[in-house]
């Protein structure tokens, strides 16, 4: 089956690192994605990783993929108040659909 | 320039009414989507069109009918609106179907059925 799960909330202090976790079930996933949704806005693609990679770094963002455990994480270094948003993990499967997790609401406190 | 634009942004209507949401993309993409986000922020695909052809049609009541007059437009018409239709509806587009994960999303249409 297709299922993507995330914890619902994460609260961190400004300047700390944030780690948002995601698990998925479809082992045929080719790409895995992280999207950001700010209040009242649409989703914005942050980063993605191909399933044969185990890490990708893009400035303050680091994506780690453990394909054996079907676990994906997004680390945000030096988290800022502007990073407060909902973060969605998503996988694209061979059926041609994008499956989203429930979203993790990140709250950054000054 | 807005890449994916939806209208209206807010829509409040009574049960039983028929309403439409319009979506346009100026990115030259071949594939467009409608997603529904419920009150718990859960996001699920409803429909996908590729070059005006329907390619994904999830288990959605047939009161929902998408229409794609050309590949830059994908509208969503909803008949006999029900309270449970209240949600935020997002339009999105991607260059093609394999690149659906690199989609651009519109700002959303918040539909409230009263």
């Amino acid at each position: 089956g297709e299922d993507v799960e995330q914890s619902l909330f994460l609260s961190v202090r400004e300047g700390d690192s944030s780690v948002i976790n995601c698990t998925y079930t479809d082992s045929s996933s080719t790409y895995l994605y992280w999207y950001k949704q700010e209040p009242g806005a649409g989703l914005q693609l942050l980063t993605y990783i191909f399933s044969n990679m185990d890490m990708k770094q893009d400035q303050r963002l680091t994506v780690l993929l453990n394909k054996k455990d079907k676990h994906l994480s997004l680390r945000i270094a030096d988290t800022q108040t502007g990073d407060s948003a909902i973060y969605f993990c998503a996988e694209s499967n061979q059926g041609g659909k994008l499956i989203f997790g429930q979203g993790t609401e990140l709250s950054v406190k000054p | 320039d807005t890449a994916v634009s939806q209208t209206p942004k807010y829509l409040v209507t009574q049960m039983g009414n028929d309403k439409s949401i319009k979506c346009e993309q100026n990115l030259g993409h071949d594939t467009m989507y409608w997603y529904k986000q419920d009150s718990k922020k859960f996001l699920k695909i409803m429909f996908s069109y590729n070059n005006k052809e329907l390619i994904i049609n999830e288990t959605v009541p047939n009161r929902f009918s998408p229409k794609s007059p050309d590949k830059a437009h994908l509208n969503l018409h909803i008949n006999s609106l029900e309270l449970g239709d209240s949600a935020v509806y997002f339009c999105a587009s991607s260059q093609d179907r394999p690149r659906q994960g690199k989609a651009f999303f519109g700002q959303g249409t918040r539909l409230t059925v009263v």
Side-chain angles (χ1 to χ4, degrees):
Chain A
E2 307 156 339
D3 200 12
V4 179
E5 294 197 355
Q6 305 174 233
S7 52
L8 294 181
F9 300 100
L10 177 65
S11 181
V12 300
R13 292 220 171 266
E14 194 172 18
D16 289 349
S17 290
S18 308
V19 179
I20 303 171
N21 294 301
C22 170
T23 56
Y24 60 98
T25 56
D26 190 347
S27 56
S28 68
S29 296
T30 49
Y31 282 95
L32 294 127
Y33 305 88
W34 284 104
Y35 279 86
K36 177 183 181 183
Q37 184 180 28
E38 294 180 357
L43 276 73
Q44 174 195 358
L45 179 64
L46 274 182
T47 187
Y48 60 93
I49 188 167
F50 189 49
S51 58
N52 69 353
M53 297 170 64
D54 51 22
M55 186 181 99
K56 180 179 180 180
Q57 186 149 6
D58 184 0
Q59 299 182 337
R60 293 191 296 123
L61 305 178
T62 303
V63 178
L64 295 178
L65 174 60
N66 181 329
K67 200 172 178 184
K68 175 176 163 287
D69 294 340
K70 299 194 187 93
H71 182 265
L72 182 74
S73 68
L74 173 70
R75 179 177 179 270
I76 306 172
D78 187 25
T79 314
Q80 303 297 307
T81 53
D83 294 325
S84 293
I86 300 176
Y87 290 81
F88 290 90
C89 166
E91 61 168 351
S92 60
N93 63 15
Q94 292 183 348
K97 289 191 297 185
L98 199 58
I99 309 295
F100 286 90
Q102 314 95 305
T104 299
E105 183 171 347
L106 174 64
S107 173
V108 183
K109 302 191 185 315
Chain B
D1 276 346
T2 305
V4 181
S5 59
Q6 301 177 223
T7 53
K9 190 169 180 182
Y10 300 97
L11 184 54
V12 181
T13 188
Q14 290 187 324
M15 279 175 58
N17 283 350
D18 303 338
K19 290 293 178 187
S20 291
I21 308 171
K22 295 187 175 182
C23 179
E24 176 181 6
Q25 53 95 2
N26 62 6
L27 298 164
H29 287 170
D30 284 346
T31 309
M32 295 184 72
Y33 313 84
W34 278 110
Y35 286 88
K36 179 180 180 181
Q37 187 175 45
D38 64 22
S39 58
K40 294 183 181 173
K41 303 294 183 187
F42 184 63
L43 197 69
K44 189 167 181 185
I45 192 164
M46 300 172 70
F47 301 103
S48 175
Y49 270 74
N50 186 64
N51 268 323
K52 302 194 297 175
E53 183 185 342
L54 180 66
I55 54 172
I56 292 176
N57 184 353
E58 286 296 285
T59 309
V60 176
N62 58 15
R63 298 181 295 105
F64 290 78
S65 52
K67 281 191 174 47
S68 182
D70 54 62
K71 74 174 193 177
H73 295 84
L74 180 61
N75 303 322
L76 184 65
H77 188 75
I78 316 169
N79 288 327
S80 304
L81 278 153
E82 299 177 358
L83 293 177
D85 297 332
S86 295
V88 182
Y89 292 84
F90 287 101
C91 177
S93 74
S94 64
Q95 189 167 354
D96 49 39
R97 188 177 165 186
R99 281 173 266 209
Q100 62 178 304
K102 299 171 195 171
F104 287 77
F105 280 75
Q107 294 296 296
T109 296
R110 183 174 291 276
L111 172 65
T112 304
V113 183
V114 296

